Amino acid sequence: MLYLQIEIPKSKYSNCFRNEFAIPVLMIVGQNEFGCSNFLRRKRKWPQIPYKGRWQQTFNEQQAMETLKKTAILDESDSNPKTHILSTLINSFRLYGCDTNPSAYSFVISNLAQRSLFSQLPTVLDHLENIEKFETPERMFTDLIRSYGEAGMFQDAIDIFFRIPKFRCIPSASSLNSLLLVLCKKRESLVLVYDVLMRSLEMKIRLEDSTFHLLVKALCRYGKMSSAIEILNLMEDHGCIPDSKMYSMILSSLCKHAGSVEVLHFLEEMLNAGFTPNGSEYVGVVTILVKEGRAKDAFDVLNRMKREGVKPDIVSYTSVLNGFFSVGDFQKGEQVFDEMLVMGLVPDPFTYSVYINGLCKQNNFEGALKMLVSMEEVGCRPDVVTYNVLITAFCKVGDVGKARELVGKMHLQGLQGNLHTYRILIDGLLSAGDVVAAFGVLVEMLNRGFVPRSSTFSSMVCGLCVCCLPHDALQVLEEMVKRSVAPEARAWEALLLSSSFSPSCTETLLDLEGLTAAN
DNA sequence: ATAGGGTTAG
């Protein structure tokens, strides 16, 4: 049915309806059983025609709702409305001679919640509970619980949930879920979940897959992994079946929040349940094994992937490669690298950085530089990390000349150094005793907005003092204080010693020390 | 289908 609202002059038809507003009259157009003219002619006969009674009742209820909504809107602009919205609700429906209905209460409750007028809710709810006779739709409570949650009123959310039966409504998993979602929003309210679940079971609410799903999701988010697994195992008792998504969530979260033992154990459980992790979930497993120095086990997982029909990608190979190199098993690393190529995988800058780092660790600098050239030859552009790896290696062996050369090469390729580049280079130059060059790089670093570590700053101060440049040293110290980096004791000592000949320096120094102490 | 997941330093 298509409805069209038009305004009819009040004087002519004001007896149609008991409405003090300008009355919008519903004209029915298109296909309907009344027709426009019938509608107006038969208006007085409606009460006598029983089969049209329902239509009229609906119509009156609509009119009452309109009045209620209009008044509510008027009240919204009024900062201090005179009447309680419950009175408006009752009056609007009384005006049209019809009974209040669930939609009216839904409107009033969501209206109050939207306007954060929670203090008015108890009156409305009491009336709904004690005076009304209709069965309240559960939807009203799920919405209200969500609103309480958004307002941080967790206890009210809990209270209304347990009060649902008093409103002639049988609570199901949907209102339980809405309450659980509220309680899972904050870590502190998680402790209330258990009690709510127990009481829900007493109320004979049937837990659904969705209930377990949201609980597992929340527990994973907070890293409460043993609880998440416990919930997963509880599902069967309630006639629910975990899906692959839940296993995936737990596996990925375990990689973040637990150790490799738990991860491997759960991986077995997941596979036994008939679910296969996807590529990135496997990467997580490989990565945690590598992080714990279990390169061999990581490699086993790689082979496990192949057996499960998941092709290991460049990321998992790079991780395993890194695993073998970081435990010093270079032979196995080389083997993995070759296997990766055989598998048709194309190394990317990550892979090359790891590989070059491995070569450097073996002191094979020639090989590392060759690798840099060959990656470029195959069209893989080295990135900042690739250069940082090489710069670190050359700084470590004291070849700062080569390190600076690499920085130059990097710049030529349009690559800017990052925070690490500067830290590595300055530390390297200072260890090599090239204080002046280090000072130059430090100035550039500060100009680019990077903040050196306290140790770098302090070494710089000491270095400048040794070179009899106390004024520059003092300047560096000032820059530190400006950036809230606390100087190490050796920096103060070096400066105090070297500035003992210059009273003005000492004065500035004491001021700075006071400033630092105040911080 | 996509991206992101994997690298240095400490």
Side-chain angles (χ1 to χ4, degrees), chain A residues 19 111 154 184 218 226 267 347 352 360 454:
Chain A
N19 189 346
N111 181 276
F154 294 174
C184 289
S226 51
L267 174 65
Y352 280 112
C360 290
S454 177

Side-chain angles (χ1 to χ4, degrees), chain A residues 433 435-436 439 459-474 494-495 497-502 505:
Chain A
V435 180
V436 177
F439 186 65
S459 303
M460 190 76 240
V461 171
C462 296
L464 287 167
C465 287
V466 169
C467 296
C468 300
L469 293 165
H471 287 279
D472 289 327
L474 192 60
L495 255 170
L497 230 83
S498 64
S499 64
S500 55
F501 304 102
S502 149
C505 262

Side-chain angles (χ1 to χ4, degrees), chain A residues 1 110 228 350 378 478:
Chain A
M1 241 184 240
S110 66
F350 274 78
V378 295
E478 278 172 341

Side-chain angles (χ1 to χ4, degrees), chain A residues 176-465:
Chain A
L176 173 61
N177 285 359
S178 70
L179 178 61
L180 293 176
L181 276 174
V182 164
L183 298 182
C184 289
K185 268 204 333 191
K186 288 228 173 98
R187 191 183 258 277
E188 306 86 73
S189 50
L190 268 185
V191 290
L192 302 170
V193 166
Y194 180 80
D195 185 48
V196 167
L197 276 178
M198 288 304 118
R199 288 174 69 186
S200 299
L201 291 174
E202 282 166 22
M203 288 163 77
K204 300 272 181 271
I205 296 178
R206 223 187 78 81
L207 308 186
E208 290 180 8
D209 287 1
S210 52
T211 314
F212 292 102
H213 196 282
L214 78 86
L215 287 173
V216 165
K217 193 173 173 184
L219 291 167
C220 285
R221 194 169 61 232
Y222 294 115
K224 306 228 170 218
M225 298 319 298
S226 51
S227 304
I229 293 170
E230 202 181 311
I231 293 285
L232 186 83
N233 294 332
L234 268 175
M235 287 182 77
E236 217 184 323
D237 299 344
H238 294 266
C240 294
I241 303 159
D243 59 8
S244 71
K245 191 132 197 212
M246 299 179 73
Y247 276 99
S248 294
M249 275 193 297
I250 295 180
L251 184 66
S252 319
S253 304
L254 277 173
C255 292
K256 275 197 208 109
H257 301 288
S260 63
V261 176
E262 292 88 347
V263 169
L264 284 185
H265 186 261
F266 190 78
L267 174 65
E268 270 332 294
E269 262 183 43
M270 181 168 177
L271 292 168
N272 286 337
F275 298 115
T276 308
N278 67 20
S280 46
E281 284 151 18
Y282 264 121
V283 167
V285 178
V286 168
T287 306
I288 192 161
L289 288 165
V290 167
K291 273 198 184 120
E292 292 184 15
R294 299 175 61 177
K296 174 77 176 60
D297 294 322
F299 189 56
D300 289 344
V301 170
L302 214 66
N303 290 322
R304 183 83 189 244
M305 285 172 81
K306 291 184 212 156
R307 270 182 277 138
E308 295 290 337
V310 182
K311 189 187 167 188
D313 63 1
I314 191 68
V315 179
S316 25
Y317 266 105
T318 305
S319 191
V320 172
L321 182 69
N322 181 43
F324 281 123
F325 281 159
S326 41
V327 295
D329 194 342
F330 300 110
Q331 263 193 341
K332 204 83 181 97
E334 298 278 354
Q335 201 183 313
V336 167
F337 188 75
D338 291 343
E339 183 186 306
M340 183 187 74
L341 296 177
V342 171
M343 294 271 291
L345 293 169
V346 182
D348 64 10
F350 274 78
T351 322
Y352 280 112
S353 298
V354 168
Y355 194 65
I356 290 173
N357 191 37
L359 293 170
C360 290
K361 273 181 149 180
Q362 298 171 77
N363 291 321
N364 184 357
F365 301 108
E366 206 178 317
L369 288 172
K370 264 190 193 154
M371 191 52 72
L372 180 70
V373 173
S374 60
M375 73 183 276
E376 288 174 298
E377 278 171 0
V378 295
C380 181
R381 284 175 63 100
D383 63 12
V384 184
V385 178
T386 320
Y387 279 105
N388 284 353
V389 164
L390 283 162
I391 294 164
T392 309
F394 283 109
C395 281
K396 241 178 213 161
V397 294
D399 193 348
V400 282
K402 191 68 196 167
R404 299 191 79 182
E405 192 187 314
L406 281 160
V407 174
K409 187 168 149 63
M410 187 174 76
H411 287 158
L412 279 178
Q413 294 198 337
L415 276 174
Q416 293 264 37
N418 63 13
L419 176 67
H420 294 303
T421 320
Y422 285 107
R423 285 181 173 178
I424 296 160
L425 191 60
I426 296 170
D427 288 346
L429 287 167
L430 286 172
S431 315
D434 197 341
V435 180
V436 177
F439 186 65
V441 179
L442 179 74
V443 170
E444 187 189 319
M445 180 181 186
L446 292 173
N447 285 338
R448 284 199 53 207
F450 295 121
V451 181
R453 281 188 304 253
S454 177
S455 68
T456 304
F457 258 136
S458 303
S459 303
M460 190 76 240
V461 171
C462 296
L464 287 167
C465 287

